[in-house]
Amino acid sequence: MNKSTVWLVIFFAVLIWSGINPKDQFTWFLEVAPAIIALPILIFTRKSFALTSLAYGLILVHCVILMVGGHYTYAEVPLFDWIADWTGSERNNYDKVGHLAQGFIPALLARELFIRLNVVKVGAWCNFLAVCFALAFSAFYELIEWWVAELTGEDAEAFLGTQGYVWDTQSDMAMALIGAIASVLLLGRLHDKQLNAKLVS
């Protein structure tokens, strides 16, 4: 079984599990929609513009995070309820994991596109712009959440997942920023090696 097949098996296994009796059907759809949209794009670009294995792996991790959040809603993921009880917190912070990933993964994807499309050379400016892209993406997603809430009213409350926290939007973007910076610092060298191998092959 090759890597692509394993990737697809994991994706669809988690997607199917996620869609079985989710906490809220509408919230499930909103949360998993980005993963469902990304899948055909990744399939159709696999031959013409294959990404690094690191990028594909991180995309899958992000999809799984979305699907878990969609199944339970971000405010009610059981493991994070337990963590909240253990730490004495009044808040389920699974959504912060999602927003950390929302910076971590897009930053690396932006970095890959910038380098491979010769937008900017490898180095500090490339990493800086990748972080900027991730933060802009996070801010845009917050706007999408706002628009959905305005259009659907109370039906989008679980999708927003603010849990009564007045600074939820700002803290979401801060987590994305932290994730983006961590991504380029922790994975930059590994990413460069995979990009170099792809350019040579």
Side-chain angles (χ1 to χ4, degrees):
M1 190 179 292
N2 61 37
K3 291 181 180 179
S4 297
T5 303
V6 172
W7 194 101
L8 289 169
V9 167
I10 295 172
F11 180 95
F12 281 109
V14 180
L15 178 63
I16 291 168
W17 164 83
S18 177
I20 298 173
N21 297 320
K23 177 75 176 180
D24 181 85
Q25 194 70 48
F26 181 62
T27 300
W28 175 84
F29 171 75
L30 292 175
E31 298 294 1
V32 304
I36 294 172
I37 292 170
L39 181 63
I41 295 173
L42 294 174
I43 291 173
F44 290 131
T45 59
R46 179 69 180 166
K47 290 185 178 179
S48 60
F49 196 85
L51 301 173
T52 57
S53 58
L54 178 61
Y56 282 123
L58 288 175
I59 291 170
L60 180 59
V61 169
H62 201 177
C63 289
V64 169
I65 290 171
L66 292 172
M67 293 169 190
V68 171
H71 181 78
Y72 294 110
T73 77
Y74 276 77
E76 299 185 40
V77 174
L79 173 60
F80 283 76
D81 277 342
W82 177 82
I83 292 173
D85 291 339
W86 182 61
T87 59
S89 173
E90 296 180 357
R91 192 178 193 282
N92 184 308
N93 284 308
Y94 183 76
D95 68 316
K96 299 311 175 194
V97 174
H99 285 282
L100 187 74
Q102 194 182 69
F104 198 96
I105 287 87
L108 187 121
L109 294 177
R111 189 177 188 274
E112 181 150 336
L113 293 175
F114 290 161
I115 294 169
R116 292 181 60 188
L117 296 176
N118 296 313
V119 176
V120 62
K121 295 179 181 179
V122 176
W125 275 108
C126 179
N127 291 340
F128 173 73
L129 291 174
V131 170
C132 289
F133 172 85
L135 187 56
F137 179 79
S138 176
F140 181 64
Y141 198 81
E142 294 297 330
L143 292 176
I144 291 174
E145 288 185 345
W146 171 39
W147 296 332
V148 170
E150 287 289 339
L151 290 171
T152 60
E154 292 183 1
D155 289 341
E157 185 175 345
F159 177 56
L160 289 173
T162 59
Q163 302 178 61
Y165 181 40
V166 67
W167 302 114
D168 185 69
T169 298
Q170 291 80 0
S171 64
D172 287 348
M173 289 188 287
M175 291 302 292
L177 176 60
I178 292 169
I181 294 171
S183 179
V184 298
L185 290 178
L186 297 175
L187 298 181
R189 290 185 179 180
L190 174 61
H191 194 214
D192 288 342
K193 287 181 181 179
Q194 292 196 4
L195 286 171
N196 289 335
K198 186 170 283 293
L199 291 173
V200 170
S201 60

